[in-house]
Amino acid sequence: MKLSRLLEPLQGTEAVQDVEITDIVYDSRKAKPGCAFVCMRGSASDGHKYAAGAVKAGAVAVIAEEPVEAPGAQVVLVPDTRKALALMSAVFFGRPAEGEIRVIGVTGTKGKTTTAYMIRSILESAGYKTGIIGTIGVLIGEELMETENTTPMSYDIQMYLRRMVDAGCAYCVMEASSIGLRDLRVYGFPFAVGVFTNFSEDHIGGVEHKDMQEYLESKAKLFSLCKIGVLNRDDPNFTGILQNHTCHVKTYGLEQPADLQGSNCRHFSKPGFLGIAFEVSGEESFTAEVDIPGRFNAYNALAAIGACHELGIPAEAMKQGLSTVKVKGRVEPVPVPGNYTVLLDYAHNGVGMENILTTLREYQPKRLICLFGAGGNRPKVRRYEMGEVAGRLADLSVITADNSRYENVEDILADIKVGMAKTKGRYVEIPDRREAIRWCLENAQEGDVIVLAGKGHETYQEIQGEKRPFDERVVIREILEGKG
């Protein structure tokens, strides 16, 4: 593609010497013959310092915010290289979000992943193939590709959207993180619908957000990028998230009057299945049954219903999609032969553990058993908190390894027991996670709910710098089949 065409959306770049561009790169280590290199400033490095290296590797054009050394290549100066990368990438991949695929963005502190998978399940129940970009990775059909960030860089987003279109997807549901919104990763294309789940303290400090105000303002950006916004009316920050919005606003909630109203939220369960049901009124009217436990998932389901209502999806598809939705590693049930329930969840800190165990306690299991560990080379206070929460809320804890990284597992377990000691909680200590899972399965009783916390969607254990295959679904199956 010609450089002049790539630069068409950018102002002040008309007078360029036209050259053929084979690709766009923003990491100098990936530079190759014929590419355009975009200099990006990050928290740890500045791409302007690596322009010469990118040219040496074959870059024929450099997009920068200031003059750089790039002998033999054309340098194009722009006010903001993040915006430039987003706009150029959209052109390079044929602007897929402008007519070929409709994008739904989901932002909020909690519930983004679950809400995204609920929306996908509803859309696919209506007959629309739907991709996902988010925390668990990029999902196209049955292919799941891991990503480093919840919201990838703008180039990668456009690349995945093109792949989704080529695979026959009509929709993409994207988790729009606060960092992704702040850093313009989702700049340069329209969202058909934007969804707000909730807002609470998170991602403050370090290379993330300097304070809560910046965090809120970053999330609010989605509602100047979408045509229709579907927002949680019950959240105390509802008004703040709408600052500078340009979208048509629709609301959902369980308490405050809203366009979509949920009521009579209730639990229902059977072995291997924990869920919720509630009534939907307002712009839709039906009984929703959701195959994921917890009142907070009524909010997520209402958000999904609201988004799909704006897309014109019929109620029957909503009911079908919510009753069959599965989210990998988020209170995910795993089939077992007995009259007990095994769930996988990503809870890996005190707050997450408190949420999942409190939710499961509401279902009145015979015993609530929590298997968990803690990450190595992370703050010890997290281990103390997890131990204290599990000791207080679980009937029995099975403490074991997680991603120990470069630490000794026994040292991590000793820290967990410091928190446990503040409670009267019973626990079993089994350092090998596979053997700990085996112990839970062999000692399960009718009516038990066993939650394996910490790994969730992860399919590995990180030990001494090595990521070793460890998918708890596979481990459970192997143990039950006698292969473990």
Side-chain angles (χ1 to χ4, degrees):
M1 185 175 289
K2 294 293 185 181
L3 177 61
S4 59
R5 186 178 171 196
L6 284 177
L7 297 176
E8 280 177 0
L10 308 180
Q11 295 182 348
T13 59
E14 294 80 5
V16 297
Q17 180 182 345
D18 226 359
V19 290
E20 190 70 26
I21 300 298
T22 59
D23 201 356
I24 304 170
V25 299
Y26 54 87
D27 182 338
S28 62
R29 294 167 295 184
K30 297 181 180 179
K32 50 193 171 184
C35 76
F37 173 61
V38 182
C39 302
M40 305 286 284
R41 286 193 174 92
S43 58
S45 64
D46 184 349
H48 290 79
K49 298 178 180 179
Y50 304 101
V55 172
K56 187 175 181 180
V60 296
V62 175
I63 316 302
E65 294 177 7
E66 62 187 42
V68 293
E69 288 189 20
Q74 184 169 191
V75 177
V76 180
L77 296 182
V78 297
D80 191 325
T81 52
R82 290 187 179 277
K83 285 186 177 180
L85 178 64
L87 295 170
M88 291 170 65
S89 299
V91 173
F92 188 76
F93 288 104
R95 303 182 189 270
E98 298 179 32
E100 294 182 273
I101 188 169
R102 301 180 77 184
V103 184
I104 301 100
V106 183
T107 197
T109 302
K110 300 172 185 174
K112 293 189 298 296
T113 300
T114 300
T115 301
Y117 273 77
M118 287 178 172
I119 293 172
R120 175 181 182 263
S121 185
I122 290 171
L123 291 172
E124 296 221 322
S125 293
Y128 298 105
K129 188 172 182 179
T130 303
I132 285 184
I133 299 175
T135 304
I136 295 176
V138 175
L139 183 64
I140 306 176
E142 298 304 314
E143 182 185 7
L144 181 63
M145 294 161 278
E146 291 187 4
T147 55
E148 291 185 8
N149 300 306
T150 294
T151 308
M153 294 292 285
S154 56
Y155 173 92
D156 302 288
I157 287 174
Q158 295 292 342
M159 175 185 67
Y160 290 130
L161 290 176
R162 172 50 56 195
R163 288 187 186 179
M164 288 178 187
V165 170
D166 293 344
C169 292
Y171 291 95
C172 168
V173 191
M174 183 187 306
E175 293 182 49
S177 69
S178 57
I179 302 296
L181 286 158
R182 183 197 67 185
D183 292 350
L184 304 175
R185 296 176 191 171
V186 297
Y187 183 81
F189 67 90
F191 287 89
V193 180
V195 176
F196 167 64
T197 59
N198 50 63
F199 183 82
S200 60
E201 186 167 351
D202 200 5
H203 303 295
I204 306 300
V207 299
E208 297 186 297
H209 297 289
K210 63 181 181 181
D211 53 32
M212 287 289 284
Q213 184 61 31
E214 183 189 282
Y215 182 37
L216 181 70
E217 290 173 355
S218 296
K219 291 202 171 294
K221 290 180 184 294
L222 178 61
F223 301 98
S224 62
L225 301 175
C226 63
K227 296 177 181 178
I228 301 172
V230 177
L231 293 93
N232 180 355
R233 187 65 186 85
D234 293 347
D235 192 275
N237 291 279
F238 170 78
T239 302
I241 211 74
L242 283 175
Q243 58 186 313
N244 302 319
H245 81 279
T246 58
C247 63
H248 179 62
V249 175
K250 307 294 285 190
T251 60
Y252 66 91
L254 292 169
E255 298 170 2
Q256 298 292 329
D259 297 310
L260 272 174
Q261 198 78 44
S263 60
N264 191 24
C265 185
R266 54 203 182 272
H267 300 77
F268 65 95
S269 63
K270 56 188 177 183
F273 182 98
L274 301 178
I276 54 167
F278 59 93
E279 307 305 319
V280 182
S281 59
E283 295 189 346
E284 293 285 352
S285 181
F286 61 89
T287 299
E289 293 186 349
V290 186
D291 190 10
I292 308 177
R295 177 183 167 88
F296 55 89
N297 278 311
Y299 279 102
N300 295 334
L302 279 169
I305 292 168
C308 292
H309 171 80
E310 298 305 323
L311 297 170
I313 304 302
E316 283 304 313
M318 297 181 190
K319 293 166 68 175
Q320 174 67 20
L322 292 174
S323 68
T324 57
V325 63
K326 294 289 187 293
V327 186
K328 189 174 184 180
R330 301 302 194 274
V331 206
E332 177 190 354
V334 180
V336 290
N339 289 322
Y340 59 96
T341 301
V342 175
L343 303 167
L344 309 185
D345 196 78
Y346 190 50
H348 57 281
N349 56 34
V351 173
M353 293 277 283
E354 180 102 25
N355 288 340
I356 183 64
L357 294 178
T358 300
T359 294
L360 296 178
R361 176 63 67 194
E362 292 172 357
Y363 287 82
Q364 300 181 342
K366 179 178 180 180
R367 293 186 303 172
L368 177 55
I369 300 172
C370 181
L371 177 149
F372 71 101
N377 305 107
R378 296 293 186 269
K380 289 192 174 188
V381 65
R382 181 178 294 183
R383 305 168 192 177
Y384 305 151
E385 290 172 352
M386 293 174 71
E388 185 173 353
V389 169
R392 177 164 46 86
L393 294 175
D395 295 305
L396 175 66
S397 297
V398 180
I399 57 175
T400 186
D402 196 306
N403 294 326
S404 55
R405 298 185 177 90
Y406 291 97
E407 282 196 71
N408 186 291
V409 175
E410 281 76 10
D411 292 339
I412 297 173
L413 299 188
D415 289 333
I416 292 173
K417 288 187 285 186
V418 170
M420 280 276 183
K422 296 180 180 180
T423 74
K424 296 180 180 180
R426 298 171 52 238
Y427 67 88
V428 176
E429 181 178 352
I430 306 175
D432 185 295
R433 194 171 181 102
R434 177 183 289 269
E435 292 307 311
I437 294 172
R438 184 195 304 277
W439 188 93
C440 288
L441 296 177
E442 290 178 348
N443 289 276
Q445 299 175 15
E446 183 173 346
D448 284 352
V449 171
I450 303 169
V451 58
L452 312 186
K455 301 299 294 175
H457 59 278
E458 293 180 352
T459 57
Y460 63 86
Q461 271 191 298
E462 189 175 346
I463 301 172
Q464 294 299 313
E466 179 186 355
K467 286 188 175 182
R468 305 176 185 178
F470 195 90
D471 186 330
E472 291 185 320
R473 300 152 200 79
V474 175
V475 170
I476 291 170
R477 186 173 66 247
E478 289 177 348
I479 292 171
L480 292 175
E481 292 175 353
K483 296 179 180 179

